[in-house]
């Protein structure tokens, strides 16, 4: 790094490490919004006001209703109107030539808390750790982005390239907020999706696709059981077939770069229903589940292989009486080269602020794959927090991790976008 940039690293650290109270206050304010899917409107208005007060150019971008017709659209459990539920976008415009533009993306929606967790949206602060729904998925990440932008302003830095911060809705059901912005033409030379990666740099992402399998049987009274066909028993065969397929998928995926040592491939049955009456042979059984897969497989491969597994290993009745669907989440895997400038610059920035440079694949799935596959934008996943706490009653994040991630992110922005003369 040049001398002036070494000095800037120190200036960035000095400013951001003094932001612990501001970080705590903003994160707690954000966490008090119960921004589950369909209820993101109020938090977006709040963010828009906060960002305007920072002197940023902002826009509340409406989601087009026709998005539900998009082939990449992920249907939530209940499709709701997008009225009053915009994406929030903020700009820090660059000035000069030769700089690269950047998108910083994270999401405002959270998964619903368990019914017994009555104070999920009442954040608790203990010894520098903030507890509650949204702490690490992903409101701590919102604060990380805001803190990095504050640092750029406080240091009076003018960048060559533009920085666009995107705070999107409907990430949890599969990324519809980010998809909308990409379809609306929001683009940059690179993107960082800020998620709870433990401050590791992830230029590759496991994929996940949800499936639904229905099996029809032949219903008769249980006194004539031998004349019927149990849909539940046929589904038991399906589950065995899925377990066998999981073993083959794991074997096919061994040795994938960036994913060595991770249990990142799985087939899970998460929901099951069969039959209507105890004394009847069940006429129908349904399971829903998901497949986690690595970048050596495309979603089309998984769909084809699941169907082929049932057709190859099912009995004659099953082959003629099953239906395989993929109506919900469908997150592709993705990987960009580890020597891409986006990756190497972020990794170097982490080292510059004292973080160990660790570049691996991420075994969760997120909106990053949309930037790569839909937007053709190089993308990396990075941010504070432990994803293992997400979606649980133990959800939490350390304030010091937000501060350190913001240091790395600010340093990266300076390097990536360039300083104007």
């Amino acid at each position: 790094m040049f001398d002036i940039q070494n000095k800037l690293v120190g200036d960035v650290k000095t400013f951001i490490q003094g932001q612990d109270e501001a970080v705590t206050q903003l994160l707690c304010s954000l966490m008090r919004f119960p921004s589950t899917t369909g209820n993101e409107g109020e938090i977006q208005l709040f963010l828009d006001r906060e960002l305007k007060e920072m002197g940023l150019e902002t826009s509340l971008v409406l989601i087009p209703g026709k998005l539900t017709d998009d082939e990449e659209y992920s249907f939530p459990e209940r499709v709701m109107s997008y009225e009053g539920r915009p994406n929030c976008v903020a700009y820090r415009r660059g000035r000069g030539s030769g700089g690269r533009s950047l998108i910083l993306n994270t999401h405002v929606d959270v998964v619903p808390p368990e019914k017994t967790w009555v104070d999920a949206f009442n954040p608790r602060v203990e010894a520098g750790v903030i507890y509650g729904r949204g702490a690490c998925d992903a409101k701590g990440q919102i604060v990380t982005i805001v803190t990095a932008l504050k640092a750029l302003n406080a240091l009076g830095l003018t960048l060559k390239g533009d920085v666009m911060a995107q705070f999107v809705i409907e990430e949890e059901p599969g990324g519809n907020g980010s998809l909308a912005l990409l379809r609306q033409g929001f683009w940059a030379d690179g993107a960082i999706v800020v998620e709870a990666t433990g401050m590791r740099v992830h230029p590759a992402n496991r994929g996940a696709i949800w499936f639904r399998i229905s099996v029809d049987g032949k219903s008769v009274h249980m006194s004539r059981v031998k004349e019927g066909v149990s849909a539940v028993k046929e589904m038991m065969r399906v589950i065995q077939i899925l377990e066998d397929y999981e073993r083959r998928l794991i074997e096919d995926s061994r040795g994938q770069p960036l994913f060595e040592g991770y249990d990142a491939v799985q087939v899970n049955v998460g929901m099951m229903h069969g039959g209507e009456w105890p004394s009847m042979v069940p006429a129908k059984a349904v399971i829903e589940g998901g497949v986690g897969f690595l970048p050596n497989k495309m979603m089309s491969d998984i769909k084809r292989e699941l169907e082929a597994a049932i057709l190859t290993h099912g009995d004659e009745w099953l082959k003629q009486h099953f239906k395989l669907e993929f109506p919900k989440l469908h997150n592709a895997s993705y990987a960009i080269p580890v020597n891409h400038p986006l990756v190497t610059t972020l990794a170097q920035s982490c080292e510059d602020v004292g973080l160990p440079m660790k570049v691996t694949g991420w075994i969760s799935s997120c909106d990053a794959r949309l930037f790569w596959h839909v937007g053709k934008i190089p993308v990396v996943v990075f941010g504070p927090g432990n994803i293992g706490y997400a979606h649980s009653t133990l959800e939490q994040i350390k304030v010091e991790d937000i501060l350190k991630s913001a240091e790395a992110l600010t340093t990266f922005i300076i390097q990536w976008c360039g300083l104007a003369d």
Side-chain angles (χ1 to χ4, degrees), residues 90-294:
Y91 305 87
R92 194 177 193 278
R93 302 290 186 184
R95 185 172 71 245
S97 61
R100 292 173 293 200
S101 57
L102 178 68
I103 290 171
L104 301 173
N105 171 285
T106 195
H107 60 97
V108 301
D109 60 314
V110 299
V111 298
E114 291 148 352
K115 292 181 179 178
T116 56
W117 192 11
V118 294
D119 60 347
F121 297 108
N122 183 24
R124 186 175 86 256
V125 184
E126 294 182 7
V129 181
I130 302 178
Y131 298 85
R133 173 59 80 234
C136 72
D137 190 23
K139 293 177 181 178
Q141 287 67 29
I142 296 173
V143 177
T144 300
I145 294 173
V146 171
T147 304
L149 295 174
K150 279 184 178 179
L152 295 171
N153 286 350
L155 296 175
L157 299 178
T158 302
L159 303 173
K160 291 181 180 178
D162 294 340
V163 179
M164 180 196 309
Q166 299 178 347
F167 306 101
V168 301
I169 72 168
E170 275 196 18
E171 187 272 348
E172 295 293 355
N176 296 324
S178 292
L179 175 63
L181 291 178
L182 287 164
R183 295 300 193 201
Q184 290 165 318
F186 290 79
W187 188 90
D189 293 307
I192 305 292
V193 172
V194 187
E195 288 276 3
T197 74
M199 294 180 283
R200 295 179 178 179
V201 177
H202 295 317
N205 212 152
R206 149 197 175 275
I209 185 169
W210 292 1
F211 60 81
R212 179 191 296 146
I213 301 174
S214 307
V215 174
D216 292 325
K218 180 181 177 183
S219 182
V220 296
H221 191 277
M222 77 176 196
S223 64
R224 313 288 292 271
V225 66
K226 293 187 182 300
E227 298 175 17
V229 177
S230 169
V232 168
K233 287 185 177 180
E234 292 296 327
M235 190 62 80
M236 290 168 62
R237 292 189 177 94
V238 170
I239 293 173
Q240 182 62 59
I241 290 168
L242 294 177
E243 290 177 350
D244 292 341
Y245 173 65
E246 180 186 55
R247 286 189 283 271
R248 295 195 299 275
L249 186 60
I250 291 171
E251 194 59 37
D252 287 348
S253 303
R254 292 196 189 280
Q256 281 297 297
L258 301 178
F259 290 94
E260 297 92 340
Y262 290 108
D263 294 325
V265 176
Q266 60 282 132
V267 179
N268 178 66
V269 176
M271 298 170 62
M272 182 174 182
H273 175 78
E276 301 295 338
W277 192 254
S279 62
M280 295 294 292
V281 172
K284 195 175 189 67
V286 180
I287 61 172
E288 294 189 49
V291 180
F293 58 96
L294 298 187

Side-chain angles (χ1 to χ4, degrees), residues 34 38 42 45 57 67 97 175 234 311 351 372:
E42 288 189 11
L45 293 174
E57 174 188 341
L67 190 70
S97 61
E234 292 296 327
L311 289 173
E351 281 200 339
W372 184 240

